[in-house]
Amino acid sequence: MAQDSAGDDDYVDWNTDDDFEIDNFQSSPVHSRAETLVGVAVTTSSLSSPIETTDLVQMGFSDEIFATLFDMGFPVEMIARAIKEAGPNADTSVIIDTISKYSSENEAGSSKSKTIDHFLAMGFDEEKVINAIHEHGEENMDQIANTLLSCAEPKKLTEVKEEDDIDWSDDEINYSETLLSDDEKEPNSSNLNRNQIRSLVKMGFSELEASLAVERCGENVDIAELTDFLCAAQMAREFTEFHTEPEEQRPRHDVKKRRLESKREPSSSVDDEPVRLPNPMIGFGLPNEPREETRILPELARGPPFFYYENVALAPKGVWETISRHLYEIPPEFVDSKYFCAAARKRGYIHNLPISNRFQLQPPPKYTINEAFPLTKKWWPDWDKRTKLNCILTVTGSAQLTNRIRSALEPYSGEPEPPKNVQRFVIDQCRRWNLVWVGKNKAAPLEPDEMENLLGFPRNHTRGGGMSRTERYKSLGNSFQVDTVAYHLSVLKPIFPDGINVLSLFTGIGGGEVALHRLQIRMKLVVSVEISKVNRNILKDFWEQTNQTGVLIEFSDVQTLTNDTIEDLMKKYGGFDLVIGGSPCNNLAGGNRVSRVGLGGDQSSLFFEYCRILEVVRGRMRRY
DNA sequence: CCAAGCATGAAGGAGCCA
DNA sequence: TGGCTCCTTCATGCTTGG
């Protein structure tokens, strides 16, 4: 009866359009990577030069305040100029005001002068900068940088060369080739460098930036540290552009100061306070007992667009610190879904959503195993004290395991309860494999539809679409817990009464979409990116079965979703209100014995694609 | 060829106690 | 505070069976 709103007009599978998916990383993204390069270059050239700091200290200016301002991303020259104008005894906030005056002067002037300033800050000759800008156009900062690097011998860069043993003076120099030529000197480290550079380029950084980052961070650093370096520089630059009231900057400020201090202490490998998991793991409070908590987000992090990122809470040490640094220093909200349903699911969420006036999905799910699966009550032995299930994983116990448990218990059927050692064996297996009692002495793994129930999905959500039972388990094990996510997203409902445009990365089986649907928040547009074809089918089926009136567009690979494509989509549909997604946890999850290598792993490094795409969306939304 | 079974530990937090 | 035990963990890759 309802109109077939999910017909051809409303569903676009752009994966069939090969031309649209051609990887375009090498081209210059709109939110120019070269701007990041500038930030990096300022950092490198300035830190390697002792001139500025000593001059400033001689002026009676606190080295610490200088470091603070510098780490906020202000160019050294600008800081020095502001200090001269404001005087050596001036307060930090006065200096910031003075600098911001320069910034606004620059913005009031042509953007070309801003571009010139960037490259002047890198130590290039003004005349050459102007010529290069004239040659390539001010927007092609990568090319400008290449041209500048390939000609002459800029003063400060020569200093870098002396310190870092980089030969900048070769004619027609290509930075990557310079690194290649290092092969003869140190083949192993250079191969490592090249691999790292390739990885960074794959993530969307320019080769030049990548090379610079590898050089600056030294050898034997992992990919996460390199991307951290690059993103920190970008954030510092953006902070300069969008800085706000000094009072609001303070928390972020302190973190960055710590980072700078740790840079001065090379022996320290951990540069943030370690993230501690809260106990109880309830985030900003639960539906029935919300905490009176408020939080102040950095101005840079505030929406719209809103974003919502998720991953496993129990990641290797340092991972959440890195993730948080890449997402505007917002601390993760750790929540165990055992407070929302009958199964545990310890996850960290980083988002810029409001946290007051959240509300719970109705009807609320069952909180205990017995309530969720009443038929198991009859068979549940007294000595199995579990009331909550453990985390739903991607693999389950086998039918053989059920048989082994039955064999272990049957000899004691006539007795009140089996011996303690048998109990122990059975309980261990039940906990390990999340078994429930479905018959006499019969403990079996959850069925896929039972998992769907626990996770807040409609029954048979993952059924069909060409999915095998094994694949259903895998997709469900990788999914959101819908009630938990919906509780967080519920604040969007009053903000967007007419509906929202959603960019959904690593969509999986559509946990975010189901949450929004159950919240009755209209999805005017969902651009979904999901690598698994069967998962894409599931979302498409859900879209059709729930008679969505919005538009669904599906992509397969975040790595081939170019910045230009995102911009085009935003132009066509009026931007995105929410960027939601949980990046792969394969290399973070405790169950992985083969490749639990952290954010640098093959799958988990896609987190940086989330950051890239989020930045594109945020950059574009600022211009609306 | 596909689906299911199964062996493969370590990381790191929680709780306890001296 | 440190040492100890206990517990949990969005998994991978090989083998087996149909």
Side-chain angles (χ1 to χ4, degrees):
Chain A
M1 185 57 201
Q3 81 279 23
D4 186 10
S5 56
D8 290 341
D9 290 344
D10 295 330
Y11 173 75
V12 188
D13 185 356
W14 286 15
N15 298 301
T16 59
D17 185 355
D18 291 334
D19 290 338
F20 215 96
E21 284 201 287
I22 292 172
D23 191 329
N24 200 26
F25 280 162
Q26 300 302 330
S27 69
S28 183
V30 173
H31 196 63
S32 173
R33 288 290 179 190
E35 291 186 12
T36 310
L37 165 68
V38 172
V40 174
V42 168
T43 305
T44 55
S45 61
S46 305
L47 275 186
S48 62
S49 167
I51 300 170
E52 299 85 352
T53 48
T54 50
D55 284 353
L56 293 169
V57 171
Q58 279 171 12
M59 289 164 60
F61 201 67
S62 156
D63 183 40
E64 190 181 353
I65 296 180
F66 166 78
T68 303
L69 291 166
F70 173 78
D71 206 38
M72 286 167 65
F74 297 120
V76 173
E77 288 76 6
M78 214 177 258
I79 299 172
R81 190 178 149 196
I83 290 168
K84 278 179 187 168
E85 187 173 320
N89 297 322
D91 190 66
T92 310
S93 59
V94 177
I95 305 291
I96 292 173
D97 284 345
T98 309
I99 295 175
S100 67
K101 200 174 68 186
Y102 301 153
S103 300
S104 57
E105 282 171 7
N106 279 343
E107 281 168 20
S110 72
S111 61
K112 179 178 267 189
S113 69
K114 199 171 164 184
T115 310
I116 293 172
D117 279 346
H118 285 323
F119 286 103
L120 290 183
M122 292 169 69
F124 290 108
D125 180 76
E126 184 171 3
E127 187 184 346
K128 293 193 173 80
V129 171
I130 292 170
N131 286 341
I133 292 173
H134 183 72
E135 182 180 347
H136 296 292
E138 64 186 78
E139 67 279 5
N140 296 319
M141 296 188 66
D142 271 345
Q143 292 174 26
I144 296 170
N146 275 323
T147 301
L148 291 170
L149 287 171
S150 63
C151 69
E153 300 171 11
K155 183 169 131 246
K156 283 190 182 173
L157 295 180
T158 308
E159 290 172 12
V160 174
K161 173 199 166 211
E162 285 164 4
E163 188 172 293
D164 294 348
D165 195 28
I166 307 169
D167 189 358
W168 293 88
S169 59
D170 279 356
D171 289 335
E172 302 296 323
I173 194 168
N174 174 310
Y175 199 90
S176 60
E177 284 174 8
T178 308
L179 287 174
L180 295 187
S181 71
D182 284 346
D183 270 2
E184 293 163 23
K185 293 185 242 168
E186 289 181 337
N188 289 336
S189 67
S190 200
N191 282 337
L192 180 64
N193 286 353
R194 265 204 313 245
N195 287 337
Q196 288 171 325
I197 291 169
R198 276 198 206 102
S199 300
L200 290 167
V201 169
K202 205 173 156 194
M203 291 176 195
F205 296 106
S206 77
E207 195 163 310
L208 191 61
E209 291 173 86
S211 306
L212 201 47
V214 169
E215 280 302 309
R216 292 308 306 178
C217 294
E219 296 162 13
N220 303 322
V221 297
D222 64 15
I223 201 76
E225 199 168 329
L226 292 168
T227 54
D228 182 34
F229 179 85
L230 289 164
C231 291
Q234 182 163 21
M235 285 174 63
R237 274 201 34 70
E238 287 176 358
F239 195 91
T240 311
E241 292 173 16
F242 297 97
H243 76 277
T244 55
E245 296 302 313
E247 283 304 312
E248 294 179 355
Q249 294 171 4
R250 194 152 292 159
R252 178 188 167 81
H253 202 171
D254 292 341
V255 175
K256 290 186 140 292
K257 204 160 95 182
R258 283 201 302 276
R259 191 190 310 152
L260 184 67
E261 283 165 1
S262 75
K263 274 181 189 168
R264 292 169 177 162
E265 296 281 338
S267 57
S268 168
S269 59
V270 180
D271 52 4
D272 277 309
E273 272 182 18
V275 169
R276 283 189 61 82
L277 297 177
N279 185 17
M281 196 181 279
I282 57 174
F284 293 118
L286 302 175
N288 298 323
E289 40 195 296
R291 290 180 174 181
E292 289 300 321
E293 286 197 46
T294 57
R295 63 169 182 173
I296 299 175
L297 292 172
E299 178 73 14
L300 177 64
R302 294 180 192 169
F306 293 105
F307 69 91
Y308 189 82
Y309 174 81
E310 179 258 15
N311 215 318
V312 290
L314 281 71
K317 275 184 176 174
V319 166
W320 274 108
E321 286 83 348
T322 304
I323 292 174
S324 177
R325 274 202 302 276
H326 285 72
L327 294 175
Y328 318 103
E329 310 276 10
I330 299 175
E333 178 177 8
F334 290 107
V335 183
D336 188 340
S337 292
K338 76 178 181 183
Y339 299 107
F340 287 83
C341 67
R345 202 165 189 81
K346 300 179 185 67
R347 296 293 179 268
Y349 306 86
I350 291 184
H351 59 85
N352 62 350
L353 296 165
I355 58 172
S356 52
N357 299 320
R358 289 171 164 177
F359 61 88
Q360 185 182 19
L361 279 182
Q362 297 297 330
K366 305 299 181 187
Y367 288 97
T368 65
I369 302 172
N370 277 341
E371 286 172 343
F373 307 113
L375 295 180
T376 66
K377 196 171 181 178
K378 180 180 177 185
W379 309 108
W380 208 274
D382 292 337
W383 42 271
D384 184 349
K385 305 295 185 189
R386 291 176 299 154
T387 58
K388 298 276 187 182
L389 291 165
N390 281 335
C391 184
I392 290 173
L393 305 177
T394 56
V395 287
T396 65
S398 60
Q400 278 74 3
L401 177 61
T402 298
N403 266 339
R404 284 197 292 272
I405 289 173
R406 190 213 306 266
S407 302
L409 291 175
E410 270 181 349
Y412 309 101
S413 284
E415 303 176 21
E417 62 179 46
K420 292 294 177 189
N421 63 330
V422 175
Q423 283 184 29
R424 178 66 188 225
F425 162 75
V426 173
I427 290 292
D428 280 352
Q429 295 298 313
C430 286
R431 289 180 182 276
R432 169 68 185 84
W433 294 105
N434 245 353
L435 309 180
V436 292
W437 297 96
V438 296
K440 185 172 174 61
N441 296 331
K442 198 158 87 172
L446 293 168
E447 290 294 311
D449 61 331
E450 292 171 329
M451 290 187 178
E452 288 167 350
N453 179 24
L454 283 170
L455 291 170
F457 289 92
R459 180 174 287 262
N460 293 327
H461 180 75
T462 57
R463 199 172 186 178
M467 253 193 167
S468 70
R469 184 184 170 86
T470 306
E471 283 174 316
R472 285 182 78 182
Y473 281 131
K474 184 173 182 182
S475 291
L476 286 161
N478 281 312
S479 170
F480 285 165
Q481 205 287 323
V482 170
D483 297 273
T484 310
V485 171
Y487 183 58
H488 298 160
L489 297 180
S490 61
V491 297
L492 292 171
K493 190 167 183 179
I495 301 176
F496 298 101
D498 298 327
I500 60 174
N501 287 355
V502 183
L503 177 55
S504 173
L505 305 177
F506 314 103
T507 304
I509 56 175
E513 287 76 3
V514 172
L516 291 168
H517 174 67
R518 292 191 58 194
L519 286 165
Q520 298 182 338
I521 297 174
R522 179 171 177 255
M523 291 168 274
K524 295 187 291 184
L525 168 72
V526 170
V527 173
S528 159
V529 189
E530 167 56 38
I531 196 76
S532 158
K533 183 170 176 57
V534 285
N535 283 349
R536 290 201 301 273
N537 287 342
I538 284 171
L539 181 66
K540 188 181 168 188
D541 289 346
F542 164 79
W543 199 259
E544 291 173 353
Q545 287 164 15
T546 53
N547 298 317
Q548 297 291 326
T549 55
V551 177
L552 173 65
I553 300 172
E554 292 192 308
F555 289 92
S556 66
D557 190 352
V558 289
Q559 296 179 91
T560 57
L561 181 63
T562 67
N563 298 351
D564 289 342
T565 305
I566 299 165
E567 293 246 350
D568 288 345
L569 287 165
M570 294 178 71
K571 209 179 296 177
K572 181 171 180 185
Y573 293 100
F576 292 110
D577 306 304
L578 174 67
V579 180
I580 184 170
S583 64
C585 67
N586 309 37
N587 308 117
L588 312 179
N592 186 350
R593 309 180 185 192
V594 180
S595 53
R596 193 188 189 191
V597 294
L599 274 181
D602 288 344
Q603 289 82 35
S604 293
S605 62
L606 292 175
F607 160 70
F608 299 107
E609 294 290 342
Y610 180 95
C611 296
R612 171 182 68 88
I613 291 169
L614 178 61
E615 264 312 297
V616 173
V617 172
R618 293 174 59 81
R620 176 84 195 180
M621 291 299 279
R622 283 194 205 105
R623 281 179 269 144
Y624 280 156

